Amino acid sequence: MSDIILGIESSCDDTSAAVIKDGMLMSNVIAGQSVHEAYGGVVPELASRAHQQNIVPVVSEAIKRAGIEKSDLSAIAFTAGPGLIGSLLVGTSFAKGLSIALGIPLINVNHLHGHVLSHFIKEDETTEVPEFPYMCLLISGGNSQIIIVENYNKMSIIGQTIDDAAGEAFDKCAKVMGLPYPGGPYIDRLAAEGDSSKFKFSKPHIPGLDYSFSGLKTSFLYTLRDELKKNPEFIEQNKADLAASLQRTIIDILLDKLDKAVKLHPEIKQIAIGGGVSANSGVRAAIADYCKLHGLKAFIPKRAFTTDNAAMVAIAGYFKYLEKDFCALDIVPFARVEV
Ligand code: KG4
């Protein structure tokens, strides 16, 4: 009999459901929420309401596209956190209800584990997956972490941001430039046309493997403020060069600590990236180049699996299912980071 897992993701502003059958992806449906565009950021209350509207059609569509019936499911995996608590409650409550109705196990998934394990999502037999232990640079809107992945369920954080995440640096600087939210993808597109050596922004000098991005944000803000006093058209006239220089600085910061981590862990031969910022063209190219130069194997996720998606929740849930690692019905979601 097949092991068929339904994954549900609702940690922020994407409602997603996916089906994994014996480790193979059968469907992955994502409904975004355009309601936040007018506010320049995610409005938690609006996000949970939109999840309530989306969850039933999204789950139905995932089951339909997988070509199965609800009664074929072996277990339900859901994102238990971190994320927005109201959003998480919608997915958690729905998963609980369905698990009771179908009489099948419930599996809690840490959203960050999902990003780290997204490299194991198989769309066909040719998908190449990492070997343990590997190092994962997890860069998203809420987190920037360097993680050693020992196995599917054992991971240790060896470095993380002490303030803003890389995604926040992209988004906050983009906002200062007047770009829509989330600004990361806009910076990525503009950077492709710009000169990355045109502007210099400050880089952090903190010891160890931890990251910091708040100084860069301030330095970016002050540069724009000073230049706008001299020339009110400064941003418009330098958009692409500003984006390229900002992106270059973020990549330099990310790579600097990753390089330190690699040198401290010579046993690691494979580097993976994950999270929304791993969709960035410059980051992807820089990681590929770095790995090539140092004789390491790079795992760069398909763009569809970089931002929030239930395929990664279903695959993380599948590995827990194989270990019979289920959760009780009184489980409560958590908002803050825990790996
Ligand atoms: O992983 P994710 O959906 O959020 C969390 O789980 O926290 O990542 C969202 C972040 C946002 O900050 C967004 O601007 C960034 O990923 N992002 C990008 C790109 N695509 C998404 N940043 C830079 N370049 C991109 N192409």
Side-chain angles (χ1 to χ4, degrees), residues 90-114:
V90 178
T92 305
S93 309
F94 185 90
K96 285 181 184 180
L98 197 57
S99 116
I100 295 171
L102 298 173
I104 55 175
L106 190 61
I107 300 169
N108 56 322
V109 170
N110 181 316
H111 180 81
L112 305 178
H113 287 194

Side-chain angles (χ1 to χ4, degrees), residues 111 115 140-142 167-168 170-171 182-185 188 275-277 279-280 306-308:
H111 180 81
H115 277 306
S140 68
E168 275 173 291
F170 271 109
D171 296 343
D188 193 353
V277 177
N280 182 270
T306 56
T307 42
D308 295 344

Side-chain angles (χ1 to χ4, degrees), residues 95-97 99-100 106 327-332:
K96 285 181 184 180
S99 116
I100 295 171
L106 190 61
C327 67
L329 280 169
D330 61 357
I331 188 159
V332 284

